[in-house]
């Protein structure tokens, strides 16, 4: 993998995660900085394991989700289980794989692809 391919993959992953943050109206400067930190970390990771480039979007989403949990709370909240009174975050599935989705961990419902939160449902 050359540097251009790596940068394109990282920028695409960054854009997907930012789109999800914007869809949830949580893309303020501090949170965007968390995205930048995750991208920098995964740049090194993909340089060490180039075959993992197709997993980088899901990994950056998970990194941002973990950083948000530590500093601000759960994100993104599950829109499927709003009646339960037990707010919980969506998970990224597969944890290490291509085509990552936000999935409700309680019902196994795939809510949206990473980068498509808040978009009309895909059929």
């Amino acid at each position: 993998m050359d540097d251009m391919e790596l940068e394109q993959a990282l920028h695409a992953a960054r854009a997907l995660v930012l789109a999800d943050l914007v869809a949830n109206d949580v893309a303020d400067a501090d949170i965007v900085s968390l995205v930048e930190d995750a991208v920098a970390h995964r740049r090194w990771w993909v340089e060490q394991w180039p075959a993992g480039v197709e997993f980088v979007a899901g990994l950056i989403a998970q990194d941002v989700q973990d950083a948000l949990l530590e500093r601000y709370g759960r994100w993104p909240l599950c829109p499927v289980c709003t009646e339960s009174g037990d707010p919980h975050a969506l998970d990224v599935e597969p944890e290490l794989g291509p085509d990552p989705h936000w999935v409700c961990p309680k019902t196994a419902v795939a809510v949206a692809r990473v980068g498509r939160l808040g978009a009309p449902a895909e059929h």
Side-chain angles (χ1 to χ4, degrees):
M1 166 181 306
D2 65 29
D3 288 344
M4 182 67 92
E5 290 172 312
L6 171 62
E7 290 305 314
Q8 286 175 341
L10 291 169
H11 285 289
R14 177 184 182 275
L16 291 173
V17 174
L18 286 173
D20 286 343
L21 290 165
V22 168
N24 282 239
D25 199 27
V26 293
D28 66 24
D30 290 344
I31 293 173
V32 171
S33 291
L34 297 176
V35 176
E36 298 305 329
D37 292 345
V39 170
H41 171 74
R42 292 302 171 177
R43 177 178 285 110
W44 176 87
W45 183 83
V46 174
E47 288 171 349
Q48 305 309 305
W49 188 45
V53 71
E54 66 182 322
F55 310 144
V56 78
L59 291 169
I60 289 173
Q62 290 174 50
D63 293 345
V64 170
Q65 185 179 42
D66 291 347
L68 283 169
L69 180 60
E70 290 176 17
R71 295 178 187 170
Y72 301 102
R74 294 181 200 113
W75 175 85
L77 290 179
C78 178
V80 175
C81 300
T82 57
E83 303 291 317
S84 72
D86 177 26
H88 55 275
L90 298 172
D91 289 341
V92 174
E93 290 187 12
E95 286 187 30
L96 186 63
D99 194 24
H101 282 69
W102 292 109
V103 176
C104 171
K106 294 186 177 198
T107 64
V109 170
V111 173
R113 285 188 164 111
V114 168
R116 301 285 298 158
L117 281 177
E122 299 170 5
H123 297 287

